[in-house]
């Protein structure tokens, strides 16, 4: 993952900001981070959540499980895949597995939880979505629509957390 928008190297911010306080790409910092950084962190979270949740929904639906066990599996796999993306990146940077697990938990727990709460809430609220089969368009529209809304809601949460040195901000120490 490219973290070039997260750098802390001073740069000239143009007229009125000659001291190089580092506002990359012209974004205004709100609480110490850019929207681009928050979007990138949320996209990272969405990728892991989507892989895990879709896999869980496909497995549960294919095995003809009920709604509750299917959602439990989908949510569990969303957390597993969400954490795994961060875990692999941090381990690749030379961090021990034990330390990498702590980083992944700190970096992604709130983001994944918000994303899963919103996404699964939308799926539960869309009439017929819980009963839809893999071959039904409603299944995929509800799932993908839930991801889209979850992305929009999770991005400001990530921006707020990163700006306070929490959430995905803890990963940046390892890049």
């Amino acid at each position: 993952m490219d973290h070039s928008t997260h750098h802390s190297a001073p740069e000239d911010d143009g007229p009125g900001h000659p001291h190089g306080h580092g506002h990359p790409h012209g974004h205004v910092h709100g609480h110490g981070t850019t929207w681009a950084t928050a979007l990138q962190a949320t996209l990272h979270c969405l990728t892991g959540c989507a892989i895990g949740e879709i896999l869980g929904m496909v497995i549960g639906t294919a095995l003809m499980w009920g709604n509750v066990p299917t959602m439990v599996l989908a949510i569990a796999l969303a957390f597993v895949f969400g954490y795994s993306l961060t875990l692999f990146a941090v381990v690749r940077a030379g961090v021990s597995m034990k330390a990498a697990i702590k980083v992944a938990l700190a970096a992604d727990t709130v983001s994944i939880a918000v994303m899963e709460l919103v996404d699964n809430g939308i799926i539960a609220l869309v009439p017929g979505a819980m009963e839809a089969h893999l071959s039904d368009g409603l299944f995929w529209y509800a799932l993908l629509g839930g991801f889209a809304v979850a992305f929009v809601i999770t991005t400001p949460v990530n921006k707020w957390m990163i700006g306070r040195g929490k959430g995905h901000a803890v990963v940046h120490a390892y890049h």
Side-chain angles (χ1 to χ4, degrees):
M1 177 185 338
D2 175 24
H3 289 283
S4 61
T5 59
H6 309 110
H7 63 83
S8 59
E11 60 183 50
D12 185 356
D13 295 325
H17 298 282
H19 304 297
H21 293 292
H23 296 282
H25 307 290
H27 298 285
V28 177
H29 282 241
H31 305 293
T33 193
T34 65
W35 282 104
T37 302
L39 287 168
Q40 189 173 24
T42 308
L43 184 59
H44 176 262
C45 176
L46 176 66
T47 302
C49 288
I51 292 168
E53 189 161 334
I54 290 170
L55 184 60
M57 292 285 192
V58 167
I59 291 170
T61 303
L63 294 175
M64 294 185 279
W65 288 359
N67 291 339
V68 172
T70 298
M71 285 187 93
V72 168
L73 177 63
I75 292 167
L77 289 177
F79 273 92
V80 168
F81 279 89
Y83 288 139
S84 294
L85 292 179
T86 297
L87 187 67
F88 293 138
V90 174
V91 167
R92 195 171 52 237
V95 176
S96 73
M97 183 61 78
K98 182 178 177 180
I101 290 170
K102 290 179 182 178
V103 170
L105 291 173
D108 295 329
T109 299
V110 172
S111 183
I112 295 170
V114 170
M115 190 156 293
E116 286 302 299
L117 179 68
V118 172
D119 178 52
N120 284 284
I122 288 171
I123 292 168
L125 292 174
V126 171
M130 295 295 292
E131 291 76 30
H133 297 281
L134 294 175
S135 60
D136 295 335
L138 180 60
F139 174 89
W140 296 103
Y141 293 132
L143 187 62
L144 298 176
F147 286 143
V149 173
F151 183 85
V152 169
I153 291 174
T154 306
T155 299
V157 171
N158 281 332
K159 184 178 186 302
W160 181 81
M161 289 179 55
I162 294 167
R164 284 155 184 75
K166 307 285 185 203
H168 200 74
V170 301
V171 174
H172 299 173
Y174 300 97
H175 288 283

